[in-house]
Amino acid sequence: MYDVHSIREDFPVLKEVIYLDNAATTQTPVPAVRAMEEYFFRYAANHGRGAHRLARETTNHYEDARETVANFLNADVKKTIFTGNATESVNTVARGFPWEEGDHIIVTLVEHHSNLLPWMRLREHGVDLTIVRPDITGVVDPEDISSAITGRTRLIAVTQVSNVFGSVQDVGRIVKAAHREDVRVLVDGSQSTGHMPVDIGSLDPDFFVAPGHKGLLGPQGTGILYIREPDMIEPMFLGGGMVRAVSDSGYEIEASPAKFEAGTPNMPGVIGLGRAVEYVKGIGVKKIEKHELMLARDAARRLAAIEGVEVYGPTDRSSVVPFNVTGMNAHDVAMILDQTKKICVRSGYHCAIPGIDFLGVDGTVRASFALYNTQEEVNKLVETVLNIAAFVA
Ligand SMILES: Cc1ncc(COP(=O)(O)O)c(C=O)c1O
């Protein structure tokens, strides 16, 4: 285990509030913020676009961050692309894949809108979509995905950990079954990356997407996209930094990753992300996983024991704990938690309306944990929800 109290010194805002909205975005540790400060105050310049010392230094730090992230995920560095967020990563694949009319995609009902709407939009181009349903705890049976595969299926897009249920999908099994049928798989690692070990080399997905600003503790405005066969995907944007040659008659696109990073990238963000990943790595993702699961499962079990509180998701959940207090709107519960005890949780649809509709509710309150949360914070959450539920009863 690690000393959570000393880690909290690196996240000053935690002295002010109980932050349990980590599935939306996490706090960024001081060393990562300092790395960004150093970029701004010591060597800010553009990436890959100059011979002068600052441009070279920026480029080196940016590319070092790529190596750090790729190593952390056990991915090929040339196939590791920086984007603005996980949404941009999914859209890059949806827009750049060589679709043909009549192609078929499989997704699940527990997807975040970011891993649903880009595929839905392809219906306009004659691409069919099957949405596989989970069980009531948000777990999808890999067999149900396999049996939805047809002769025209080109892609399965599935999230590893649901931001609505906290359920963990068996993406390893899904990838293996899909590859046997020559079907490609996009894994949405938005709620898994940094929270549990992710090994792209052994998982072997065709595409893997993750935000930099959740479990990896990087700044907002950073995202990751891994593409196993970069030649197969057309870049979404064309412009500076991604071409090798341009003439009157046309242009020649650079190889990955430059191919997918047109325009001035988010240098400070990526450099901050690289430092944040080193921070996560320094603590150890297995230890982080153990700590978060201990807190989340304790919170789920104790909340479920309160009369008038319903907790959703499986017992072997990840660090996401959705619940409702009977007779109360989720937003009102979240507001009371904040106003009485400065507990910050998310409430509502969590950008995943089909999953919430499947639960048959208007929304949920979602407490989600990160490496810096404590048992005392769980106790405070449970105690406050107990008081709210007693008041309503
Ligand atoms: C499962 C899942 N996928 C995708 C996203 C989108 O991430 P981003 O906001 O970085 O685009 C989220 C964000 O909450 C998520 O939870």
Side-chain angles (χ1 to χ4, degrees):
M1 262 308 154
Y2 54 89
D3 179 6
V4 65
H5 293 284
S6 74
I7 278 175
R8 287 169 70 85
E9 295 298 312
D10 289 326
F11 302 88
V13 74
L14 300 180
K15 292 192 174 70
E16 309 300 324
V17 297
I18 296 179
Y19 188 76
L20 300 179
D21 193 16
N22 297 289
T25 201
T26 53
Q27 304 300 324
T28 300
V30 167
V33 176
R34 294 268 181 269
M36 291 188 276
E37 196 180 73
E38 195 179 289
Y39 161 82
F40 281 117
F41 293 150
R42 214 175 55 70
Y43 63 89
N46 214 326
H47 166 269
R49 286 165 172 75
H52 65 79
R53 68 189 61 209
L54 298 191
R56 276 188 280 124
E57 189 159 359
T58 292
T59 304
N60 289 343
H61 283 284
Y62 184 93
E63 293 307 325
D64 284 351
R66 195 192 308 279
E67 288 232 16
T68 303
V69 170
N71 286 340
F72 180 73
L73 299 174
N74 190 24
D76 182 336
V77 72
K78 293 198 175 66
K79 300 176 180 180
T80 304
I81 296 141
F82 288 122
T83 61
N85 46 47
T87 305
E88 187 186 322
S89 301
V90 176
N91 277 275
T92 300
V93 179
R95 283 281 167 148
F97 196 92
W99 302 111
E100 287 171 17
E101 206 175 327
D103 281 347
H104 175 234
I105 299 173
I106 300 170
V107 296
T108 82
L109 195 80
V110 303
E111 301 308 316
H112 187 280
H113 294 159
S114 296
N115 196 30
L116 181 63
L117 308 193
W119 313 117
M120 271 189 175
R121 179 161 65 177
L122 292 168
R123 283 173 169 157
E124 292 162 19
H125 302 280
V127 174
D128 290 333
L129 189 68
T130 297
I131 304 178
V132 174
R133 294 165 82 81
D135 69 14
I136 195 61
T137 66
V139 176
V140 179
D141 186 341
E143 288 299 324
D144 291 343
I145 293 186
S146 292
S147 44
I149 294 176
T150 71
R152 292 303 308 266
T153 307
R154 303 283 303 279
L155 185 96
I156 296 166
V158 61
T159 190
Q160 191 164 13
V161 171
S162 162
N163 68 314
V164 173
F165 297 83
S167 49
V168 184
Q169 313 303 346
D170 189 347
V171 288
R173 229 174 110 193
I174 294 167
V175 169
K176 278 202 182 76
H179 284 177
R180 277 198 294 274
E181 306 287 335
D182 202 21
V183 173
R184 293 186 158 80
V185 182
L186 178 143
V187 174
D188 177 354
S190 295
Q191 298 295 347
S192 56
T193 312
H195 294 289
M196 60 171 67
V198 167
D199 185 329
I200 289 183
S202 67
L203 181 63
D204 198 27
D206 300 272
F207 310 98
F208 186 90
V209 309
H213 63 93
K214 296 192 201 271
L216 296 179
L217 311 180
Q220 291 71 39
T222 56
I224 296 161
L225 168 61
Y226 164 82
I227 305 182
R228 188 155 68 108
E229 296 166 72
D231 290 347
M232 166 193 204
I233 301 293
E234 279 286 312
M236 184 142 74
F237 300 116
L238 302 183
M242 53 79 73
V243 278
R244 202 174 280 151
V246 185
S247 68
D248 278 10
S249 55
Y251 53 85
E252 201 186 317
I253 293 176
E254 270 286 7
S256 177
K259 171 179 176 180
F260 299 103
E261 294 181 5
T264 297
N266 179 1
M267 285 92 59
V270 163
I271 288 164
L273 171 61
R275 185 65 192 88
V277 169
E278 279 169 15
Y279 185 92
V280 169
K281 207 171 160 181
I283 295 168
V285 79
K286 281 203 178 125
K287 288 186 188 157
I288 291 172
E289 180 184 36
K290 195 167 167 207
H291 177 77
E292 291 180 4
L293 292 186
M294 179 196 67
L295 298 181
R297 291 176 186 179
D298 183 53
R301 189 181 48 75
R302 289 165 62 196
L303 286 171
I306 300 173
E307 209 181 311
V309 173
E310 186 164 8
V311 174
Y312 310 99
T315 37
D316 56 349
R317 70 180 60 250
S318 71
S319 52
V320 174
V321 184
F323 64 94
N324 268 319
V325 177
T326 311
M328 273 192 88
N329 182 283
H331 294 306
D332 291 339
V333 175
M335 197 98 93
I336 296 172
L337 287 171
D338 178 24
Q339 285 177 1
T340 59
K341 299 289 173 191
K342 295 186 181 169
I343 300 174
C344 305
V345 291
R346 176 90 181 256
S347 52
Y349 289 121
H350 316 294
C351 299
I353 293 176
I356 291 289
D357 283 351
F358 179 73
L359 280 175
V361 294
D362 281 342
T364 64
V365 185
R366 183 183 72 187
S368 51
F369 297 86
L371 73 169
Y372 40 62
N373 291 121
T374 64
Q375 185 63 52
E376 296 82 61
E377 291 179 327
V378 172
N379 298 347
K380 187 73 88 182
L381 172 74
V382 173
E383 200 179 284
T384 315
V385 173
L386 182 69
N387 288 338
I388 295 172
F391 184 76
V392 182

